Amino acid sequence: MQRETYPGTWEFRDRSAGDPGGFETVVVPHDAVLGTTRVDDVRQMASGYFPGGMWEYRTRLFAPPEWRDRHVVLEFEAVHRSAAVFVNGDLAARQRSGSTAVTVELDVLLRYGAENEITVEARADRDARWYTGGGIIRPVHLSVGPKVHVPLDGVVVTTPEHDAEAAVVQVLTTVRNLESGPVVRRLETMLLGPAGDVVGMDRTRVSLPADGSAEVSQRILVRSPQRWSVDTPDLYRARLQLMPQASGADGQTDVSEVGFGIRSLHLDAERGLRVNGQAVKLRGACVHADNGVIGAATFAAAEERRIAILKSSGFNAIRSAHQPMSTAMLDACDRLGMLVMDELTDVWTRAKSPQDGAEHFPEHWRSDLAAMVTKDRNHPSVIIYSIGNEIPEAATRSGNALTRDLAAATRALDPTRYVTAAVNGALFVMDGASELEPELLGDSSLDPVHEINGRTLSLEERMSALAVTDVVAELTEEAYGALDIAGMNYQDARYELDRTRYPNRVIVGSETFPTQIDRLWRLVTSNVHVIGDFTWTGWDYLGEPGLGRMHYQDDPPGNQALGGYPFLVSFAGDIDITGERRPASYYREIVYGLRAEPFIAVRRPHTRGRVMKAAPWSWTDSIPSWTWRDAGTAPLEVEVYSDAPEVELLFGDVSLGRQPTGSANRYRTVFSVPYQPGRLEAVAIRGGAPAERTAVHTAGERRRLALTAERPLVRADGRDMAFVVVELVDDDGVRATDSDVEVELTIDGPGALQGFGSAIPATEESFTDLRHRLYDGRALAVIRPSGKGRITVTAASAGLQAASVELEVG
């Protein structure tokens, strides 16, 4: 069977308070939370001060009479959360998880030759430590096929043997018979190469009992295979036809198609991770599911845009934190060449949020795990499954048993990938965070732990000190022994120690501090058993507000780890919620050895003279700008990042001196520069001579709005979107970062606003409004086409001439 986008219209109403009122028409995927009013309530801090709610969707599906002899499946990729699906008033399905598909077989529920009402109810409130959105947040599919068919996700493709000359592609196909009597069918499997040509084929007979199923194995040889990798993401497709045994015989033909890649994985502590025999170090980013100004609604174009920007910024791997990745994002990873650590959950049996579903984990984990793996196991981008994030019970006997059960179940579902868990052993013993069972500690003493917890240390220092204690080694040993890869969150102090203590252990930095990437990357590259680093975080996200904001010694007392209302975004991402790279991203690219040009970031004037008291996720308050109306008279601090031994800073043609950079100086230096308008240029000095250079310029006094469509031609297929950058610039196109004017959009033509906003970390503005203030001179508008034609997007602001951009929808 094939998935097709559900074609019907959806209506929606909010049932959170009292009388829900009437329904309004919405486009699905839909985030029911994004347009609601935020609340100044510390209980809603984790979600960015968005409250939860209860929501109802309905649609009407006409079932033609001929569907009586067909099999009809309605699939919701994700409904957040606690979904209940009703068909003509009858309960058809429930799903507690907000990221596991809800699949409804409609055959016995439909009224044929008539309209059928389908209703979906969902609710969410304080069920995660970040923003999740709510409602039908991922696509809905309708599949109609024969009674004898290949079920959705019923095809598994592996490439057990391959080299440069040939590859064996094994296709395991489940065939299902819903007829009342036995049937015989012929299964034809055709392999299509990256260019669309037929590269292999096999046919076989399949006999099926009444109301039964069978698994069919086909091994097909492909000559001169094009192997999938990060650099060459070549994709193949398997096209299957299940047809009557003989021409003219009774029965309908069922068609299925699945994409795959030909690639091999190898892993050991002496050679690390290898893809197609080539050593690979994972330059990883943790990524939450929300997508900035469009919230939790998942659209293919937005997911592909994120992966493209992340890859162009130097990342070659992402970790889905902390829930299974959307199919659209995995498709983008396959096409663009991005490796994936696919994560199941943030909680097992011990709750981290009041309604996070931990109490239901024992009864649902097997089905949730199976749903993730069967959905994702044909994606060549997926190389690692993570069975959980920072699970506190992993330090207990029952937790160790559950770790083994989860790992074994994952391998049984997919023996071709590796299993890890993101473990932070320091949390087990940090200020008594977990109840420890003495028999698990062996001969270890808790005295060092008590001593470390009693000292005044930064979070980073304490985690490092606790990580290397015997207590943490003992508590994590059994859990790591159940995994293929030891995932370590903020435990880099263990990397070199474990090379001796556990010589067969392979480690991945499953979550790390972004401010330490220079030291962390050196540990990764100098230790073959450490296969990569996943920073927190690659793309900024809603919720956990203010986690990455800069703190200062003179901040008012009572300052919390997270930001008070109206903080909205984490502010810990290399890339902000509009898709613009922040200074940390360019620094990381230099550390990775992928950028030769220096980078300039200027600290905002309000930071001058203040002592930074940064959280380990906090970058400095700096931006790549030399436009400062509020600069005052004291010098500004200018950061320069470079891998060159030294850099020279120029103002115009005047040298402001040379200072050392490069790895010995953490790839950075700071110049003190009195502000005056002009050009500030950094020059890398290599071998005593000028080399690569970069510059920032002051924006002129004449300002205008400028709209830029990232792709002026978009498709009217329900999956594509237009991304329009709105900026305030001078006559030469230099962005004016010192005047964040309010902008109002108008949209003419077959399109509607999906989201509009800036990367400002604290605001009361809504992403669903047509009016928003720029931040550092920039905002992003996301336009959803509603039909073919021409869309004109116009931006206006008081005292400025309106500006427009045209989009073609074909």
Side-chain angles (χ1 to χ4, degrees), residues 321-628:
H322 306 288
Q323 60 200 66
M325 196 170 286
S326 72
T327 296
M329 180 167 274
L330 287 174
D331 287 342
C333 291
D334 291 344
R335 286 191 298 269
L336 299 178
M338 182 73 79
L339 300 170
V340 172
M341 180 191 293
D342 205 2
E343 191 155 85
L344 177 65
T345 181
D346 186 48
V347 296
W348 287 356
T349 60
R350 295 188 181 180
K352 298 178 181 178
S353 302
Q355 285 91 39
D356 60 14
E359 70 273 22
H360 303 293
F361 186 79
E363 58 189 287
H364 289 291
W365 72 259
R366 289 187 183 275
S367 58
D368 287 348
L369 176 66
M372 178 183 79
V373 176
T374 56
K375 173 177 74 74
D376 300 345
R377 61 189 172 188
N378 287 321
H379 291 276
S381 55
V382 177
I383 62 169
I384 302 170
Y385 295 116
S386 169
I387 56 177
N389 172 65
E390 293 188 344
I391 305 298
E393 59 267 45
T396 67
R397 290 191 307 274
S398 60
N400 285 325
L402 191 49
T403 303
R404 290 192 297 271
D405 289 347
L406 277 155
T410 305
R411 294 187 188 100
L413 290 163
D414 184 358
T416 69
R417 269 87 170 185
Y418 304 114
V419 182
T420 190
V423 176
N424 188 338
L427 293 183
F428 297 160
V429 295
M430 186 176 286
D431 294 324
S434 295
E435 294 182 12
L436 304 180
E437 299 171 31
E439 59 269 36
L440 293 177
L441 301 178
D443 297 327
S444 296
S445 168
L446 285 173
D447 288 343
V449 171
H450 293 151
E451 189 271 332
I452 291 167
N453 277 330
R455 289 161 53 194
T456 302
L457 298 171
S458 69
L459 177 63
E460 183 181 0
E461 290 169 335
R462 186 183 297 190
M463 283 188 176
S464 295
L466 291 170
V468 298
T469 61
D470 289 341
V471 175
V472 168
E474 295 283 352
L475 288 172
T476 57
E477 184 173 311
E478 192 168 353
Y480 283 148
L483 306 169
D484 303 315
I485 303 170
M488 295 191 178
N489 283 17
Y490 310 111
Q491 301 289 277
D492 50 275
R494 292 213 63 86
Y495 292 178
E496 293 184 326
L497 179 67
D498 281 8
R499 187 172 192 173
T500 302
R501 184 164 185 163
Y502 303 101
N504 292 306
R505 178 175 288 178
V506 176
I507 294 171
V508 66
S510 42
E511 190 170 316
T512 64
F513 294 125
T515 53
Q516 298 296 316
I517 185 57
D518 58 317
R519 181 179 57 80
L520 294 169
W521 194 242
R522 187 164 57 250
L523 284 171
V524 172
T525 55
S526 60
N527 290 281
V528 70
H529 70 294
V530 182
I531 64 172
D533 175 278
F534 286 80
T535 191
W536 193 268
T537 179
W539 193 284
D540 208 2
Y541 57 97
L542 307 182
E544 262 190 320
L547 175 75
R549 74 194 192 283
M550 178 57 66
H551 302 254
Y552 296 92
Q553 205 167 66
D554 59 353
D555 282 341
N559 194 33
Q560 305 176 71
L562 299 182
Y565 183 85
F567 260 92
L568 173 59
V569 303
S570 168
F571 214 52
D574 273 27
I575 299 162
D576 72 27
I577 61 169
T578 72
E580 182 169 53
R581 297 176 64 183
R582 298 173 65 202
S585 173
Y586 293 95
Y587 177 79
R588 182 182 307 277
E589 190 180 18
I590 289 169
V591 170
Y592 284 157
L594 301 176
R595 178 186 174 92
E597 296 85 0
F599 187 80
I600 297 173
V602 182
R603 295 180 187 172
R604 300 176 191 271
H606 79 268
T607 71
R608 191 166 36 207
R610 302 177 71 189
V611 178
M612 291 186 292
K613 189 181 172 184
W617 300 276
S618 304
W619 205 254
T620 58
D621 279 326
S622 59
I623 59 173
S625 173
W626 194 240
T627 302
W628 301 100

Side-chain angles (χ1 to χ4, degrees), residues 4-12 24-30 57-63 67 72-76 106 115-120 136 138-144 299 717-718 784 786:
E4 301 291 342
T5 301
Y6 177 73
T9 299
W10 288 95
E11 296 177 307
F12 164 82
E24 61 176 302
T25 300
V26 296
V27 171
V28 168
H30 175 254
Y57 296 81
R58 73 179 182 189
T59 186
R60 291 173 177 83
L61 171 65
F62 178 77
W67 280 10
V72 185
V73 179
L74 186 66
E75 180 190 53
F76 301 84
L106 295 175
E115 277 198 338
N116 297 264
E117 184 175 82
I118 297 169
T119 305
V120 180
I136 305 177
R138 290 183 183 174
V140 181
H141 305 286
L142 180 67
S143 302
V144 181
F299 290 88
D717 59 2
R784 185 185 68 250
S786 57

Side-chain angles (χ1 to χ4, degrees), residues 293 305 577-578 710 723-726 755-758 778-782:
V293 302
R305 176 180 182 263
I577 61 169
T578 72
E710 292 182 354
F723 300 89
V724 178
V725 176
V726 182
F756 177 44
S758 75
R778 175 189 164 98
L780 177 73
V782 183

Side-chain angles (χ1 to χ4, degrees), residues 36 129 131 174 178 198 200 212-213 290 368 398 447 459 467 524 529 548 623 681 732:
T36 60
R129 298 180 296 115
Y131 177 87
T174 298
L178 297 181
V198 178
S213 62
D290 79 87
D368 287 348
S398 60
D447 288 343
L459 177 63
V524 172
H529 70 294
I623 59 173
E681 184 175 30
D732 296 321

